[in-house]
Amino acid sequence: MIPLMEPVMIRNLRLAALVTVALPAAALAGGYTPPVVEAPIVIAPSEQVAAPLWAGAYVGGALGYAFNGDDRVGIENVAGGVAAGSVTPSGHSLDVKGPAASLALGYRWQRNNFVFGPELSVDFGKVEDDYEAVAGGSTFTDGGKSEVNHIISLKFKGGTLMNEQTLVYGLAGVAYGDFTYTQGTGAGAQSVDYDATRYVLGAGVERKINDRLSVFGEWNYYNFGKTDVFFPASEGSDSGVQTVATPEHHLIKIGLNYQF
């Protein structure tokens, strides 16, 4: 019995060995498949949009010089509140000029490279002119003086950015002026305060120093039309003389703005 079992055992051992060798070979026959590793999910940072550099409220101050005023002097007699209808020219003109200062409060919006908004400003200083003509002429043409006391303006400014730091702009608006006109000289001089409202035009360049501060240079042209200025012969009288005041001048100024 033992000799018959030996061949069976040997065959079984050989079969087991063959299976052991065949299984790895079968696995290799299909090729190696690496494990699938999912790529990590990367969350892109949200895009940061910078706030407009020029938008917002601001205050400013400036120093400047007024020049090239043009107010030709002439006199007209008035009797009983009625003008005579003829003007006697003096041959003189009052060309106001002098140093001035400005204060301003404004607000701006920015749309891409376009910057625009309103500005409220006040100008004041020693802007004036006077003359004396001792020989000949009437009381009026003996002398005269025109003074700009202050100007309040509501302007609209709009311009284009040449680059991120430099703004070139134009402006237009309404200007209210307070003036003093004097006729005659010495003890016989008469002064009358009057006001006029007309327009202002201009242009300028502004340059950012940092996010808050900027420097600017600006030109303004003020025109206040024509205003009859009456000088009564005595207090309360409706007779006397009058002139037509035509206050206008240019103003060049350099200043500093602070943006909130």
Side-chain angles (χ1 to χ4, degrees), residues 42-48:
V42 179
I43 300 175
S46 60
E47 184 180 352
Q48 298 295 322

Side-chain angles (χ1 to χ4, degrees), residues 14-234:
R14 288 177 179 175
L15 181 60
L18 181 61
V19 172
T20 302
V21 173
L23 286 175
L28 291 174
Y32 172 72
T33 303
V36 177
V37 179
E38 293 185 0
I41 299 175
V42 179
I43 300 175
S46 60
E47 184 180 352
Q48 298 295 322
V49 179
L53 185 64
W54 293 83
Y58 65 92
V59 293
L63 296 176
Y65 191 82
F67 63 97
N68 203 29
D70 184 15
D71 188 354
R72 289 176 293 175
V73 178
I75 183 174
E76 186 175 27
N77 290 317
V78 177
V82 179
S86 61
V87 176
T88 303
S90 70
H92 294 272
S93 63
L94 291 167
D95 304 327
V96 294
K97 55 187 175 296
S102 301
L103 296 175
L105 172 65
Y107 192 91
R108 291 188 281 222
W109 292 273
Q110 181 177 349
R111 298 292 182 269
N112 298 321
N113 288 335
F114 188 49
V115 179
F116 57 95
E119 180 183 280
L120 180 65
S121 65
V122 56
D123 300 336
F124 52 92
K126 194 173 178 59
V127 180
E128 59 186 37
D129 191 29
D130 60 71
Y131 79 94
E132 288 187 20
V134 177
S138 65
T139 304
F140 180 85
T141 55
D142 286 342
K145 184 177 184 179
S146 179
E147 302 171 79
V148 181
N149 299 321
H150 63 264
I151 296 172
I152 300 173
S153 304
L154 179 59
K155 309 166 186 174
F156 183 86
K157 294 183 173 183
T160 301
L161 294 175
M162 303 303 292
N163 53 56
E164 191 178 51
Q165 305 295 327
T166 307
L167 173 66
V168 177
Y169 61 90
L171 64 90
V174 178
Y176 164 84
D178 183 82
F179 310 93
T180 298
Y181 207 117
T182 301
Q183 67 93 7
T185 59
Q190 288 179 284
S191 295
V192 173
D193 293 330
Y194 73 98
D195 57 71
T197 301
R198 202 65 182 272
Y199 66 86
V200 56
L201 301 173
V205 179
E206 188 168 350
R207 173 79 178 178
K208 283 282 188 180
I209 300 174
N210 53 43
D211 289 345
R212 297 293 185 186
L213 293 175
S214 58
V215 294
F216 67 90
E218 189 175 296
W219 159 72
N220 292 163
Y221 168 66
Y222 290 103
N223 188 305
F224 294 95
K226 298 179 180 181
T227 302
D228 292 334
V229 182
F230 175 63
F231 300 92
S234 59

Side-chain angles (χ1 to χ4, degrees), residues 1-11:
M1 294 295 294
I2 294 175
L4 292 177
M5 295 180 58
E6 286 182 355
V8 175
M9 295 180 61
I10 292 172
R11 284 197 300 271

